[in-house]
């Protein structure tokens, strides 16, 4: 028989919490990528890696916080530990690929499309791998058209996020981009969940899965702690909260450092006195 699916078991609590984590991961990731643009080559890989892990952890945490609110009334739901951890690894790795590509190659059209497609498909793979980790007394089906739409949303969201990472420098603009990114990632998740149907088996089968609260809540602690620590790094780095004009004056303009101005005046003064 068809199972009765409820994706909002705790009302708006889980969607809001999931959205906040997606925004937090996106905001930290974008600011870390911006930081990589103002450091020498020696520091760039570290900042890019920190940004990739922040975004990856934010997306993964968003997914499984949202899944805490998912239930099928006719059966318990458990999660396979190995597949759940693997989905986190996939999220970080695929985001890292996109971040490093645009971090070193820029946001040109072809590069951005390639990096965004790889990252978006990887994010969708993380989602469906996390769904494959579910264990229940039944089988899960998907509507192909809705699945395709969710993948398309993931690709568009990833491409936009990577573009923002290397294009938007100001703190306020990065914050706005992270809010939009949170909407896109959460939208991808709930679009994908709209594709789900569950056929419940007639008899209860035995399985070795953990309940959502016994597995997901402890596993979420690690990524959340990481995001908090990454946030501390951002808060105590003044260059990460300054606008673009404060630390990155456009090349070829007259906006030189203040220290340069007295030297030019002195040089001008000497030329007048010599005349």
């Amino acid at each position: 028989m068809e199972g009765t699916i409820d994706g909002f078991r705790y009302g708006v609590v889980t969607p809001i919490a999931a959205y906040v984590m997606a925004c937090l991961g996106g905001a930290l990731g974008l600011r870390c990528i911006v930081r990589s643009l103002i450091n020498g080559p020696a520091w760039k890989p570290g900042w890019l890696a920190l940004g990739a892990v922040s975004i990856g952890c934010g997306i993964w945490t968003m997914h499984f916080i949202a899944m805490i609110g998912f239930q099928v009334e006719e059966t318990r739901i458990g999660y396979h530990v190995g597949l759940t951890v693997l989905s986190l690894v996939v999220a970080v790795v695929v985001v890292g690929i996109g971040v490093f590509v645009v971090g070193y190659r820029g946001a040109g059209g072809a590069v951005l499309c390639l990096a965004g497609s790889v990252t978006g498909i990887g994010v969708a793979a993380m989602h469906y791998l996390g769904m494959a980790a579910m264990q229940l007394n039944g089988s899960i089906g998907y509507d192909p058209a809705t699945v395709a739409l969710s993948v398309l949303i993931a690709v568009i969201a990833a491409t936009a996020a990577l573009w923002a990472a290397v294009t938007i420098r100001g703190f306020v603009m990065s914050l706005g981009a992270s809010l939009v990114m949170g909407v896109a990632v959460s939208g991808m998740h709930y679009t994908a969940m709209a594709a789900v149907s569950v056929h419940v088996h007639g008899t209860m089968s035995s399985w070795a899965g953990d309940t959502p609260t016994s597995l997901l809540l402890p596993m979420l602690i690690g990524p959340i702690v990481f995001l908090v620590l990454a946030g501390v790094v951002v808060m105590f780095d003044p260059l990460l909260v300054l606008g673009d004009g404060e630390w990155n004056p456009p090349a070829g303009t007259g906006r030189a450092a203040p220290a340069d101005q007295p030297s030019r005046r002195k040089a001008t003064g000497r030329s007048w006195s010599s005349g």
Side-chain angles (χ1 to χ4, degrees):
M1 65 176 178
E2 291 299 315
T4 305
I5 295 175
D6 181 8
F8 304 94
R9 180 179 184 180
Y10 300 105
V12 298
V13 174
T14 49
I16 291 176
Y19 172 72
V20 169
M21 295 310 300
C23 292
L24 177 60
L28 295 177
L30 293 180
R31 297 314 293 167
C32 289
I33 295 169
V34 166
R35 190 64 166 87
S36 75
L37 302 177
I38 58 176
N39 272 113
W43 288 96
K44 190 169 189 175
W47 283 109
L48 289 176
L50 182 59
V53 176
S54 297
I55 296 174
C57 285
I59 294 173
W60 184 86
T61 305
M62 176 278 303
H63 171 83
F64 282 101
I65 286 179
M67 291 307 296
I68 291 176
F70 179 83
Q71 70 171 352
V72 180
E73 294 183 3
E74 292 81 4
T75 178
R76 286 198 313 156
I77 296 177
Y79 288 87
H80 187 278
V81 176
L83 289 177
T84 303
V85 174
L86 180 60
S87 66
L88 173 60
V89 175
V90 169
V92 172
V93 169
V94 297
V95 170
I97 292 173
V99 164
F100 272 81
V101 168
V102 298
Y104 280 97
R105 300 298 299 273
V111 173
L112 187 61
C113 288
L114 175 62
S117 297
V118 171
T119 304
I121 292 172
V123 169
M126 177 280 299
H127 173 90
Y128 289 104
L129 186 59
M131 294 296 294
M134 283 201 310
Q135 297 177 320
L136 67 164
N137 183 37
S139 56
I140 300 175
Y142 297 95
D143 176 65
T146 311
V147 169
L149 178 60
S150 70
V151 174
L152 178 62
I153 294 174
V155 170
I156 294 173
T159 303
L162 294 174
W163 173 85
V166 295
T167 304
I168 297 176
R169 305 288 182 86
F171 177 75
V172 175
M173 292 297 293
S174 291
L175 180 60
S178 67
L179 296 177
V180 175
M181 181 180 171
V183 171
V185 173
S186 299
M188 175 268 165
H189 171 84
Y190 285 105
T191 299
M193 294 308 297
V196 174
S197 61
V198 177
H199 181 76
V200 180
H201 298 159
T203 58
M204 181 65 69
S205 61
S206 63
W207 48 270
D210 295 287
T211 63
T213 53
S214 66
L215 172 65
L216 295 183
L217 289 180
M219 291 188 70
L220 288 169
I221 293 175
I224 291 174
V225 169
F226 170 83
L227 291 174
V228 171
L229 294 177
V232 172
V233 172
V234 170
M235 289 173 60
F236 284 92
D237 190 336
L239 288 177
L240 284 176
V241 296
L242 294 176
D244 180 58
E246 298 294 329
W247 51 261
N248 191 28
T253 67
R255 297 173 59 188
D260 294 336
Q261 296 172 1
S263 63
R264 288 199 298 271
R265 288 196 296 267
K266 291 179 181 178
T268 305
R270 285 196 298 269
S271 65
W272 289 344
S273 62
S274 62

